[in-house]
């Protein structure tokens, strides 16, 4: 078996000094921008001059750890609530609540009930007396606790980045008499959409979309300059998860494990959620060990480290595909992209594998020793890290240690600090 080490995620954080402008009363405004599905190594693989200029003037963080599961809604809600998915209640793209019998999907996401286990920043800041804005960020057009941000627009994928940005900068700039929004969240669907459609390994397609993303960054900076906000606000550019290359050669078919009468499917891949129609232990028994690249958990046994257990909306059985693998019910094809517009799902959300030494989680107790190398790569259970080729090494290992000064494949390495204008 060959492990393709695929990187987890990217977070770029950029802080612009708020200056000492006497007109600036209190803290500077904060603009939080997410480019969905921006995989960590895109920054290394593709030239993005606007993004590079931006972080050269601010701070580039080393690592963002996304929450489990690596889906857009759970992670975006975590970014604005500070909570794991089990605590904020937006646990997946498709959910079922066994108490209320309600269903949630990306097309049916506006019932405030799903979002009300937590409070997003655009509401918290209201309580401090600030105006806020949220543009197409997951949950931002939902009246959570009967409230929305001061400014928002209903989600519409057809609204361009330029249009979204124009609204946000105008809301933040205020009108001369009234102070503008002090917190704004701005969401853009790329490069996630293209990553799914073409796969992150498609250099030609990804170069094109990442140029567009970079142009969006350039546009954002010029707009902030135009309205007089540049240098007076804090700007954070981030993402929610990375993107792994999927393949029709890496399918896990549930029909090979059990008959569909045995379960009701709530969510599919890369983390499937099932409700057993018969004895849960028996259904679990059929799934457990069924495929070498799929791990099955009864809800009560989901590992603590995933922070994905203590919520009614987590189903009795979850199945986790190894990175790059796709769970389907049957057949030999990759699933269609959710909106069925972009073709097959060639990119899928990955699980994490790489750590800088200082970022190795405390729970592993594998950090505070000189003999631990600068970078470690951890294979999912059952996978083997090799340098090349298609053969297992003579002695099977589950953890590979790379002694290398090359940070090429790690999440953003350099840290620079400077003030903006
Ligand atoms: Zn996403």
């Amino acid at each position: 078996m060959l492990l393709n080490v695929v990187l987890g995620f990217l977070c770029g954080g950029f802080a612009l000094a708020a200056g000492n402008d006497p007109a600036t009363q209190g803290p500077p405004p904060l603009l939080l921008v997410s480019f969905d599905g921006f995989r960590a190594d895109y920054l290394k693989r593709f030239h993005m001059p606007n993004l590079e200029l931006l972080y050269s003037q601010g701070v580039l963080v080393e690592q963002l750890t996304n929450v489990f599961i690596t889906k857009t809604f759970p992670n975006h809600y975590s970014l604005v609530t500070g909570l794991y998915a089990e605590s904020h209640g937006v646990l997946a793209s498709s959910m079922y609540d066994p108490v209320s019998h309600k269903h949630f999907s990306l097309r049916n996401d506006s019932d405030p009930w799903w979002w009300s286990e937590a409070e997003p920043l655009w509401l918290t800041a209201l309580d401090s007396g600030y105006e806020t804005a949220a543009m197409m960020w997951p949950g931002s057009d939902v009246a959570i606790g009967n409230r929305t941000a001061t400014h928002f627009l209903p989600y519409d994928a057809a609204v361009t980045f330029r249009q979204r940005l124009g609204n946000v900068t105008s809301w933040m700039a205020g009108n001369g008499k009234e102070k503008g929004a002090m917190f704004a969240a701005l969401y853009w669907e790329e490069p996630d959409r293209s990553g799914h459609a073409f796969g992150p390994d498609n250099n030609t397609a990804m170069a094109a979309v990442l140029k567009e993303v970079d142009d969006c960054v350039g546009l954002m900076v010029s707009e902030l300059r135009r309205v007089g906000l540049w240098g007076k606000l804090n700007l954070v550019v981030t993402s929610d998860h990375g993107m792994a290359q999927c393949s029709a050669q890496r399918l896990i078919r549930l029909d090979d494990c059990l008959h569909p009468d045995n379960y009701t499917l709530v969510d599919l891949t890369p983390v499937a959620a099932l409700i057993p129609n018969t004895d849960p232990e028996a259904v679990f028994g059929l799934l457990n060990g069924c495929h070498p690249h799929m791990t099955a958990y009864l809800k009560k046994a989901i590992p603590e480290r995933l922070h994905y257990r203590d919520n009614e909306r987590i189903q009795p059985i979850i199945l986790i595909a190894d990175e790059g693998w796709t769970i389907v019910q049957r057949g030999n094809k990759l699933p269609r992209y959710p909106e069925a517009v972009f073709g097959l799902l060639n990119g899928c959300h990955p699980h994490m594998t790489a750590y800088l030494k200082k970022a190795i989680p405390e729970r592993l107790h594998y950090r505070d020793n000189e003999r631990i190398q600068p970078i470690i790569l951890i294979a999912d259970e059952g996978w083997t890290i090799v340098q090349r080729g298609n053969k297992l090494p003579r002695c099977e290992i589950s953890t590979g240690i790379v002694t290398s000064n090359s940070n090429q494949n790690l999440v953003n390495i350099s840290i620079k600090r400077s003030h903006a204008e």
Side-chain angles (χ1 to χ4, degrees):
M1 288 179 286
L2 171 67
L3 174 73
N4 292 311
V5 176
V6 184
L7 287 172
F9 36 73
L10 166 139
C11 171
F14 317 98
L16 300 182
N20 294 317
D21 185 343
T24 304
Q25 302 291 317
L30 170 63
L31 172 56
L32 173 64
V33 183
S34 173
F35 291 101
D36 196 325
F38 196 118
R39 177 172 141 157
D41 68 348
Y42 290 160
L43 262 187
K44 305 287 181 186
R45 287 167 53 197
F46 302 98
H47 181 44
M48 285 177 266
N50 291 306
L51 200 47
E52 288 158 18
L53 179 62
L54 188 60
Y55 69 67
S56 73
Q57 298 174 337
V59 175
L60 182 60
V61 304
E62 293 179 356
Q63 180 167 327
L64 171 82
T65 304
N66 48 233
V67 302
F68 186 86
I69 61 178
T70 52
K71 290 284 181 78
T72 297
F73 273 36
N75 274 280
H76 275 93
Y77 211 41
S78 288
L79 282 167
V80 292
T81 62
L83 298 173
Y84 289 109
E86 69 177 359
S87 300
H88 66 54
V90 180
L91 290 141
S93 308
S94 298
M95 290 187 283
Y96 169 73
D97 187 274
V99 178
S100 66
H101 302 293
K102 289 184 177 187
H103 291 267
F104 176 98
S105 71
L106 297 183
R107 292 167 185 259
N108 177 26
D109 66 352
S110 57
D111 184 342
W113 184 82
W114 293 101
W115 302 87
S116 297
E117 291 185 4
E119 182 182 84
L121 271 175
W122 57 78
L123 297 185
T124 309
L126 286 180
D127 293 334
S128 297
Y130 300 129
E131 286 198 359
T132 61
M135 176 58 85
M136 314 262 172
W137 196 279
S140 59
D141 53 0
V142 180
I144 299 164
N146 286 324
R147 297 193 298 171
T148 62
T150 315
H151 310 279
F152 72 98
L153 285 182
Y155 182 74
D156 181 354
V159 176
T160 65
F161 184 84
R162 179 184 290 274
Q163 291 168 322
R164 295 182 199 192
L165 174 70
N167 279 285
V168 166
T169 50
S170 125
W171 292 333
M172 294 193 86
N175 60 12
K177 295 178 189 166
E178 298 272 330
K179 205 169 178 178
M182 287 290 282
F183 171 75
L186 169 60
Y187 170 80
W188 183 237
E189 291 87 348
E190 292 285 17
D192 181 81
R193 193 161 52 187
S194 297
H196 280 300
F198 303 111
D201 292 353
N202 185 328
N203 283 332
T204 306
M206 293 317 297
V209 72
L210 287 164
K211 168 150 193 338
E212 290 176 11
V213 166
D214 191 59
D215 288 346
C216 291
V217 173
L219 180 66
M220 182 166 64
V221 172
S222 66
E223 270 298 291
L224 289 171
R225 287 183 194 279
R226 189 184 65 77
V227 301
L229 284 170
W230 184 253
K232 296 178 183 173
L233 86 170
N234 287 316
L235 168 61
V236 176
V237 178
T238 188
S239 189
D240 52 346
H241 53 74
M243 187 66 57
Q245 184 69 37
C246 300
S247 166
Q249 277 69 55
R250 291 194 296 272
L251 294 181
I252 300 163
R253 278 174 283 273
L254 294 183
D255 276 7
D256 293 347
C257 303
L258 75 178
H259 192 279
D261 288 350
N262 283 301
Y263 66 91
T264 301
L265 191 64
V266 176
D267 199 10
L268 201 47
T269 196
V271 179
L274 273 58
I275 304 170
N277 293 341
T278 54
D279 174 35
E281 300 276 351
V283 173
F284 173 75
L286 294 170
L287 292 160
N288 187 29
C290 174
H291 193 286
H293 297 297
M294 180 178 78
T295 306
Y297 290 109
L298 280 169
K299 180 174 179 176
K300 62 187 177 191
I302 297 171
E304 185 71 38
R305 65 183 162 80
L306 298 179
H307 299 282
Y308 198 81
R309 190 173 58 203
D310 296 327
N311 195 296
E312 292 275 7
R313 300 168 188 175
I314 295 169
Q315 303 307 328
I317 295 175
I318 68 165
L319 308 170
I320 306 177
D322 285 349
E323 186 170 294
W325 286 79
T326 303
I327 301 172
V328 296
Q329 284 194 283
R330 59 192 66 88
N332 297 308
K333 290 182 180 173
L334 284 168
R336 305 284 298 179
Y337 191 76
E339 275 71 40
V341 174
F342 301 99
L344 299 175
L345 196 70
N346 282 305
C348 46
H349 297 178
H351 302 296
M352 292 169 279
T353 54
Y355 294 105
L356 276 177
K357 180 177 177 180
K358 60 187 169 187
I360 295 170
E362 191 72 41
R363 64 180 164 77
L364 298 180
H365 301 286
Y366 193 82
R367 190 172 58 197
D368 296 326
N369 191 300
E370 288 288 323
R371 297 173 189 173
I372 296 170
Q373 304 304 323
I375 299 170
I376 70 164
L377 308 173
I378 303 178
D380 283 348
E381 189 169 318
W383 284 76
T384 304
I385 298 173
V386 296
Q387 279 194 289
R388 60 191 66 84
N390 297 310
K391 291 181 180 172
L392 277 172
R394 286 177 180 275
C395 178
E396 189 164 340
I397 54 173
S398 61
T399 301
I401 298 177
V402 177
T403 306
S404 168
N405 293 324
S406 168
N407 293 325
Q408 192 173 0
N409 284 332
L410 265 192
V411 190
N412 318 309
I413 302 302
S414 62
I415 297 181
K416 297 177 183 175
R417 289 178 188 276
S418 67
H419 290 289
E421 300 172 350

